[in-house]
Structures are given as structure tokens and as C-alpha cells.
Amino acid sequence: MDHTPPLATIELVVNGQARRCEAEHRLSLADLLRDRLGLKGTHVGCEHGVCGACTVMIDGVSARSCLTLAPQADGADIVTVEGLADGDALHPLQEAFRDRHGLQCGFCTPGILISLLELLRHCPDPTEAEVREVLSGHLCRCTGYHNIVAAALDAAQEMRRRRA
Amino acid sequence: MKPAPFTYHRARSVDEALALLAGAGDARILAGGQSLVPMLNLRLAMPEHLIDISRIAELDHVEERGGRIAIGAATRQRTIEFSPLVAARLPLLAAAILHVGHRQTRNRGTLGGSLCHLDPSAELALMACVHDAQLVARSPRGERVLTMAAFALGTMTTALEPDEMLTEVRFSPWPAGHGFGFHEFARRHGDWAMASAAALVTLDGAGRIERAALALGGVADTPLRHATAEAMLIGQAPGDALLRRAAVLPQDVVVLDDDATPAWYRRQLAETMARRALADAVGRAAKAARQ
């Protein structure tokens, strides 16, 4: 019996760059990003969609990369945490997390940054409640969330200032 | 954990999906993947074939047709959440969908996926139940329409045949001026509900209850219409004592029981959620009547 698993050719755009690889059908987008493309910023926590550590942008919206199969991402436009900085210039969200001590171990951070990026695109002046609503899809064991909230509000303010 | 090996197929039409389903043997339909992929990752499901229906245009719509709001089975939960038609004609659904998972799962998850997975706590299954939804299924033998009662057989068990797929769900909107209420109890916002209740009410000119629908989720193995409550409410003035009496769960309901939420506690939660949902529905209907 032939046990060779079928392979799919996956073509996708990741952080603005066209990428291509062959993958088993069962490979998750998270594992494709980490192991096949070397983008280790996206983390794998629970593999059932509740912890949020794997969150990336897929076609402009936040999504769990652990619940997306590689073949489903064929033709997709992906943004990971590696896509936030502009060369050496950190994204205002990243600067705010640094300045406000919004991370400790950093495991949950990339997923949270992606979700906050999505929030601030649609809601440039969020309330604390709106930030906390977004954070409800992410588990953080280290920080107690309050510095994450502060960082998010600071980043929102800075991004509004830069646009003015 | 990683899934057991499978062959992935992408169907471009419903006909192609049905042909793949019939021909592939051990196959599962994949839409948003927010319920199925966790099962694959945990090896609770190990199909040999996955049939991806998420890009079939025919299955992605929210439209008014024949007096009902028809939503395609592969419509993303996000689409429903932001739909002006749903906000206007199905305000209970618009309210309840905010409790489905989180933003990140609603961006990918679908209406049909949630209904076919049929977790006892699923808000969308509760919505189909309380709205007397028609569930449209298609197979090589043709199309059939099921009520939620006929569709939902038991815990995560639907009446779909192995070669059959859900294509559309038709919700019955309530008339302008109706009131709705939705309450669920979970340890944290976004967690699976330990008990949930959805209510729809219309009042007559004298402020009495003309029509009522009440359904409970997370309480039994499938969403439950509380028919005795509905019968008790018709024609009555909606006072606190009446709503409290109506919210009582009949003793013969088999309430889910586990270590985290024992049956006696779940029953109490269900009655409280029911009372609050009814109160909200009555309040909104009364407010609409004053305007």
C-alpha cells in the first residue's frame, strides 16, 4: 500500500512577499509559516483555537493559523508579526508594548499584536472596553493584561497623532 | 497534536462537493474549520478525505426570499455579524452572534459549520431553534428541508446522511416591533455557555403577550424549545411573577451534567437566563410600542 501522503503546492503572499512551497495537506498554516518559511514569530499554543498565540492576518482579517490548513491558505495574503516593523523602524504597537512593559515571556504577544492591528485599522480611537473585547480571544499568563491594554491605547493615540 | 493524514479536495460547486462526498468514502465537509480542525488536531476525527466548500459562491449569501432570511451554509459568521439585513430583520441573531467564539474565529467560522458540529452550547444552533428555521440539505437524491427538531438528533449528531450536506438556513423574521432577549452564562466572555436563553416576544395593543418563543442552549444535548413556557405566556400581562413561573424548566428535561457544571446548577442557571431573556424581550417590545 502506498503511504506517501499527497502534497499540495501552496502559493501565498506573506508580509508582502510571494512565497511558494510544497506541503502535506494536513500541514497547518502555523506550521507552514514557522517550519517551512522560517517565520518563528507566530506561536503554537493549544492547537484548538482558544489561546490566540497563533493569530495572523489572513486576507485582511485576524484568524487562527493553527486552525487553517495549508491548502486553505493557497492564494491568501498573510501578515505575521514579522510584517509589523518597517525595516528597523518598529510599528507603534511594538514601541508601545516595549515602553509600557506589555510583554514578559512574549509567547502570547505576536498574536495579540495582530489582533490589535486589526482593531486599530477599523477603530482608531478604541475604548478600554473595546481593547479588552479584542483581548478576550487571547490568553496571557504573565502580565495580567493591564499593561497590554495601556500599550494598545498608547499605540492608538500615537497612530492618530502620526496621521494628523 | 497534528492531524492524521487525509486528502484535501476543494469543491468549486455544490454538485462537485456532493460528487466528492459520495465517491470518497470516509469524508468530512470542511468550511471555516473552526470546529472541525480542532477535532482533527486532537485526533477526535480522522477522516480520509476533506472536502473544502468554503469558496463555493452559491453557499455564501444573506438575502430575503419568500418572507424568510436565507443564509448560505458557508456564510462566514463575520458576514452575519456585520450584515445590515440581519441587524434590521433578525436582531436577536445579530445580538447572539457576538457571543460566538471570538473575533478571530468568527472571521473564518461559518453558520453551517456551527450547525453541523452541533455543540449543545452553540449559539447559532439556538438561533435556528428559536426562529423556527428551515434547514436545507442536498444529496444526490435531491433537496430536503428539515426543522431544527428533525435536524438535531442528539449531542453533536445531526440527521444529515453521509452523502448529504447542508446548503442553506432560512430564518423566520418576527414582525417590526417585536422584542428579543439573549442571555448566556459562561465563566469568561467567549467561553462555552453553561446555559443560554433566547426569547422573542410580541405584545398586543393592550400590552399582553401575543406571541412568544423561548429556547435554551447548553442545557440539554440539543437546543430546547420551552413549549410549556410559551403556552403559559400567551394572552397574559407580562409581570415578573409570570416570567419567573414561565422560566421554570420542566422536571422531565434531561439536563446536561458534568463535574464543572452539575445538573442542579445548570438548571438554576437556565431558569435565570430564561427569566432575563424574557424580561429583555418584553421590555424591548414595550419600548417599541411606545415609539
Side-chain angles (χ1 to χ4, degrees), chain B residues 11 31 35 63 67 80 90 111 127 139 148 157 167 186 215 219 233 240 281:
Chain B
S35 298
E63 58 196 41
I80 297 170
L90 299 171
L111 170 64
M127 290 301 106
S139 74
M148 193 59 187
T157 307
T167 56
V219 177
L233 293 168
D240 281 349

Side-chain angles (χ1 to χ4, degrees), chain B:
Chain B
M1 262 217 322
K2 308 301 174 185
F6 52 77
T7 302
Y8 167 94
H9 310 263
R10 183 178 301 143
R12 287 156 300 190
S13 69
V14 174
D15 286 338
E16 190 179 346
L18 290 177
L20 286 165
L21 202 51
D26 180 19
R28 294 286 293 257
I29 298 278
L30 173 68
Q34 304 301 287
S35 298
L36 181 58
V37 179
M39 291 180 55
L40 298 177
N41 286 347
L42 295 169
R43 299 208 177 188
L44 296 173
M46 294 191 284
E48 286 176 14
H49 298 271
L50 283 191
I51 301 162
D52 186 347
I53 61 164
S54 64
R55 301 193 199 191
I56 300 177
E58 182 192 341
L59 298 176
D60 180 10
H61 56 267
V62 178
E63 58 196 41
E64 181 150 11
R65 204 193 308 133
R68 287 175 180 262
I69 309 300
I71 304 181
T75 305
R76 305 278 186 194
Q77 291 159 10
R78 176 194 180 83
T79 303
I80 297 170
E81 181 178 343
F82 292 108
S83 160
L85 183 59
V86 169
R89 303 299 304 284
L90 299 171
L92 173 58
L93 173 58
I97 200 153
L98 298 176
H99 294 261
V100 176
H102 297 283
R103 155 76 43 246
Q104 300 84 2
T105 63
R106 293 198 295 276
N107 282 341
R108 301 277 298 175
T110 64
L111 170 64
S114 178
L115 288 177
C116 293
H117 185 69
L118 203 59
D119 186 283
S121 308
E123 290 88 352
L124 292 175
L126 183 64
M127 290 301 106
C129 177
V130 78
H131 284 95
D132 297 306
Q134 291 177 336
L135 284 76
V136 184
R138 214 185 298 175
S139 74
R141 293 174 297 291
E143 195 172 87
R144 62 179 178 138
V145 179
L146 298 99
T147 61
M148 193 59 187
F151 176 81
L153 297 181
T155 310
M156 300 171 73
T157 307
T158 73
L160 291 177
E161 298 290 338
D163 63 350
E164 199 173 25
M165 61 183 276
L166 188 69
T167 56
E168 187 176 80
V169 183
R170 300 171 186 159
F171 292 83
S172 293
W174 281 47
H178 78 275
F180 70 90
F182 178 78
H183 279 270
E184 73 171 38
F185 191 90
R187 285 219 162 74
R188 295 167 306 172
H189 178 72
D191 279 3
W192 290 111
M194 291 146 78
S196 57
L200 293 162
V201 162
T202 58
L203 303 175
D204 65 19
R208 284 183 301 258
I209 296 172
E210 186 175 63
R211 185 181 167 204
L214 177 65
L216 302 172
V219 177
D221 57 358
T222 62
L224 197 64
R225 278 293 283 269
H226 197 330
T228 46
E230 295 170 8
M232 198 185 296
L233 293 168
I234 305 297
Q236 304 297 318
D240 281 349
L242 174 73
L243 300 188
R244 198 171 285 274
R245 271 200 316 276
V248 171
L249 207 52
Q251 279 306 307
D252 63 359
V253 171
V254 179
V255 175
L256 294 176
D257 188 32
D258 59 50
D259 290 340
T261 316
W264 66 264
Y265 180 47
R266 201 183 291 268
R267 189 177 278 273
Q268 280 186 6
L269 288 175
E271 291 178 355
T272 303
M273 295 301 107
R275 185 170 45 76
R276 289 182 188 172
L278 283 171
D280 281 2
V282 164
R284 286 191 169 103
K287 185 172 174 204
R290 286 195 296 274
Q291 282 166 351

Side-chain angles (χ1 to χ4, degrees), chain A residues 7-88:
Chain A
L7 296 179
T9 303
I10 317 293
E11 290 177 332
L12 65 175
V13 173
V14 183
N15 299 326
Q17 261 198 311
R19 307 298 297 263
R20 185 176 198 265
C21 66
E22 302 260 293
E24 272 193 64
H25 294 189
R26 61 177 166 157
L27 189 74
S28 72
L29 175 62
D31 288 340
L32 184 153
L33 292 167
R34 291 177 53 80
D35 299 335
R36 307 303 293 276
L37 301 183
L39 297 167
K40 302 287 190 181
T42 301
H43 298 150
V44 176
C46 70
E47 293 193 300
H48 58 279
V50 302
C51 79
C54 72
T55 305
V56 298
M57 294 278 234
I58 302 179
D59 294 332
V61 296
S62 62
R64 306 295 200 213
S65 62
C66 75
L67 299 186
T68 308
L69 298 173
Q72 289 189 295
D74 183 44
D77 189 336
I78 311 291
V79 175
T80 69
V81 66
E82 289 90 347
L84 291 184
D86 182 9
D88 282 342

